[in-house]
Amino acid sequence: SQTIHQWPATLVQPVGSPLSLECTVEGTSNPNLYWYRQAAGRGLQLLFYSVGIGQISSEVPQNLSASRPQDRQFILSSKKLLLSDSGFYLCAWGAANYGYTFGSGTRLTVV
Amino acid sequence: GQQVMQIPQYQHVQEGEDFTTYCNSSTTLSNIQWYKQRPGGHPVFLIQLVKSGEVKKQKRLTFQFGEAKKNSSLHITATQTTDVGTYFCAGEGSNYKLTFGKGTLLTVNP
């Protein structure tokens, strides 16, 4: 069965510090991978998606970047965090016409 | 771009009452999906509707997809405290990307 792992679960980082969140998927090959952010208002905002190694599409221009160095690994990064980067970050995998499977998420607080 | 509107934002009910949340898309969808997010948790896939006018049931939950494939609803009969959470609809357009509604937060008073 397919599983998705996301870590860390909670992170408190100072403004201006770098960020690296990792997501890995098991039990499937060449998955479509997604990074979402959920702010206090509950909506899910698509940040990046990837259909293959090295292929990244950005949905919202911002302080973040994403990379996919391996087929089942998706990384969300920032060189310098802003206060506005605080939120709940969710990784997901999915394919056309199937539901998305979300990771357990990372709660990021930038202080 | 594609927009998905969901109402209401909040709904508080007494246990045993029914609950409905509605979803409308600005464009025709290839399918619509529903997710539930428990407080403090992550969204969990509930169901996908593909066909125009489709109705699916999961125990006390009834999901409908409109004839024009632009709207959908989730109805819960006789709510229980375990139904508490935020319910999201998500529409998939022709580009295979999901656009989520802002969700409906359901609270249930026992």
Side-chain angles (χ1 to χ4, degrees):
Chain A
S1 63
Q2 301 89 356
T3 56
I4 182 167
H5 302 280
Q6 192 180 340
W7 65 92
T10 306
L11 195 57
V12 180
Q13 292 284 102
V15 168
S17 64
L19 173 74
S20 180
L21 301 180
E22 188 166 343
C23 172
T24 59
V25 180
E26 295 178 0
T28 184
S29 58
N30 197 30
N32 289 346
L33 297 174
Y34 306 86
W35 278 111
Y36 282 87
R37 178 169 60 199
Q38 188 174 35
R42 296 182 288 115
L44 288 160
Q45 180 187 34
L46 178 62
L47 302 175
F48 301 96
Y49 70 95
S50 171
V51 298
I53 296 174
Q55 300 179 63
I56 307 294
S57 295
S58 173
E59 288 295 299
V60 182
Q62 57 204 313
N63 185 39
L64 302 169
S65 62
S67 62
R68 186 168 176 175
Q70 300 180 42
D71 182 43
R72 301 172 202 172
Q73 185 184 29
F74 204 21
I75 298 172
L76 182 68
S77 305
S78 174
K79 292 182 179 178
K80 288 186 178 181
L81 284 168
L82 307 172
L83 287 173
S84 57
D85 291 324
S86 293
F88 188 36
Y89 288 83
L90 291 154
C91 179
W93 77 270
N97 295 325
Y98 290 94
Y100 283 16
T101 300
F102 284 86
S104 53
T106 296
R107 296 194 183 279
L108 172 66
T109 304
V110 182
V111 296
Chain B
Q2 181 179 301
Q3 292 186 337
V4 175
M5 308 298 291
Q6 193 173 350
I7 57 170
Q9 270 194 307
Y10 307 92
Q11 185 76 60
H12 179 74
V13 300
Q14 289 292 126
E15 189 172 21
E17 292 181 339
D18 292 356
F19 159 76
T20 305
T21 174
Y22 300 91
C23 189
N24 279 287
S25 169
S26 58
T27 59
T28 301
L29 302 169
S30 59
N31 69 74
I32 195 153
Q33 301 173 18
W34 285 91
Y35 293 78
K36 177 183 178 181
Q37 184 176 22
R38 294 183 185 275
H42 58 277
V44 175
F45 174 72
L46 293 177
I47 206 162
Q48 176 178 273
L49 304 172
V50 179
K51 299 177 183 176
S52 169
E54 189 170 15
V55 178
K56 287 188 176 180
K57 292 190 175 185
Q58 289 180 350
K59 297 183 180 178
R60 294 177 294 104
L61 277 61
T62 302
F63 304 85
Q64 290 187 310
F65 200 11
E67 293 291 339
K69 299 185 74 173
K70 295 179 73 173
N71 63 289
S72 181
S73 65
L74 158 60
H75 179 82
I76 301 178
T77 304
T79 54
Q80 300 175 358
T81 54
T82 53
D83 295 326
V84 165
T86 301
Y87 292 85
F88 292 97
C89 63
E92 186 169 290
S94 56
N95 57 7
Y96 301 117
K97 287 190 292 184
L98 273 187
T99 300
F100 282 81
K102 291 192 180 297
T104 296
L105 174 59
L106 172 66
T107 55
V108 180
N109 197 29

